[in-house]
Amino acid sequence: MSELKLGDKAPNFDAETSEGKINFYDYLGDSWGILFSHPADYTPVCTTELGTVANYKAKFEKRNVKVMALSVDGLESHKGWIKDINETQNTTVNFPIIADEDRKVSDLYGMIHPKADDTLTVRSVFVIAPDKSIKMTLTYPASTGRNFDELIRVIDSLQLTAYNKVATPANWKNGEDVVISPSVSNEEADKMFPKGYKEIRPYLRMTPEPELNN
């Protein structure tokens, strides 16, 4: 099983999907990406998840994020399932779902955890930067649906901190104060953060969220 870690290059692959044959890197282009797996088609939690992602299309586009899902079932199964998703979730699935019957991509990304299930994928999530490096991984059990608001929050943090010398504190949400990186001196902070900052401790300085500069 693959043991991909933060900072590793996300493996490229060609795959048959609900939107035709796709090369992963070509699909992402210069965008951020989310690759996420599902245990199987026609399962209740997965149906709600894919419907949620489809309804979040505008939120992802605003952040220059492309999504791609994966299930170990085949294309014909995907096509029938998508009809169910659209009808039950009042949406239109607007992203590709990989048909990974041979488990090629699942094995490449370590999405099958044998102690949970030796044939079905767990709920893996990979957030991938434009340079194709892995910036975040999450693994949920099959019984727990993902919180896509949290994924949006993480992407907001990743994009903000990629281009500014800040970090985001616990429970941070877009628009709230952030933490100035300890590597930044007070003299540098005076110049870098014109909105000012509050020094709670020498290592803990809070400043209003800077403008995203990418």
Side-chain angles (χ1 to χ4, degrees):
M1 184 176 73
S2 174
E3 294 185 8
L4 295 172
K5 297 180 175 61
L6 299 184
D8 286 350
K9 191 74 78 174
N12 193 20
F13 56 83
D14 295 307
E16 294 291 346
T17 80
S18 56
E19 297 187 359
K21 189 169 183 178
I22 289 178
N23 176 272
F24 189 48
Y25 278 13
D26 289 344
Y27 172 73
L28 292 180
D30 294 327
S31 299
W32 289 72
I34 294 178
L35 176 64
F36 61 113
S37 57
H38 300 270
D41 292 358
Y42 296 105
T43 48
V45 175
C46 299
T47 299
T48 64
E49 288 187 322
L50 291 181
T52 298
V53 172
N55 287 329
Y56 275 35
K57 182 177 177 65
K59 295 183 179 182
F60 288 124
E61 287 183 341
K62 178 182 177 182
R63 294 163 174 82
N64 189 31
V65 176
K66 292 182 179 179
V67 299
M68 182 179 286
L70 175 148
S71 168
V72 294
D73 292 310
L75 280 180
E76 290 306 310
S77 176
H78 284 1
K79 291 175 181 177
W81 184 34
I82 287 171
K83 291 179 181 178
D84 275 7
I85 296 167
N86 292 342
E87 292 176 6
T88 64
Q89 307 303 305
N90 191 29
T91 191
T92 300
V93 171
N94 43 37
F95 53 87
I97 305 174
I98 298 169
D100 196 36
E101 291 181 286
D102 61 3
R103 308 198 310 187
K104 173 185 171 184
V105 180
S106 300
D107 288 338
L108 196 59
Y109 277 79
M111 293 172 168
I112 293 176
H113 293 207
K115 291 183 180 179
D117 192 300
D118 61 2
T119 59
L120 302 180
T121 53
V122 292
R123 298 188 195 282
S124 297
V125 183
F126 295 86
V127 176
I128 299 163
D131 66 358
K132 308 302 183 292
S133 62
I134 295 172
K135 293 300 184 184
M136 190 207 72
T137 64
L138 276 175
T139 302
Y140 291 73
S143 59
T144 304
R146 283 164 279 214
N147 185 329
F148 288 94
D149 287 326
E150 169 63 5
L151 291 182
I152 291 287
R153 189 189 78 90
V154 169
I155 288 167
D156 283 341
S157 174
L158 287 169
Q159 293 183 346
L160 180 68
T161 58
Y163 306 114
N164 296 275
K165 292 187 176 182
V166 296
T168 55
N171 293 337
W172 173 87
K173 294 180 182 178
N174 194 13
E176 296 179 348
D177 288 357
V178 298
V179 176
I180 297 175
S181 172
S183 65
V184 176
S185 68
N186 284 349
E187 291 75 16
E188 291 171 324
D190 290 336
K191 298 175 183 177
M192 295 172 63
F193 303 101
K195 296 178 182 178
Y197 60 90
K198 180 179 180 181
E199 185 175 278
I200 301 170
R201 291 287 189 275
Y203 61 86
L204 179 56
R205 295 165 295 172
M206 306 297 296
T207 188
E209 179 183 314
E211 298 296 326
L212 185 60
N213 181 22
N214 58 353

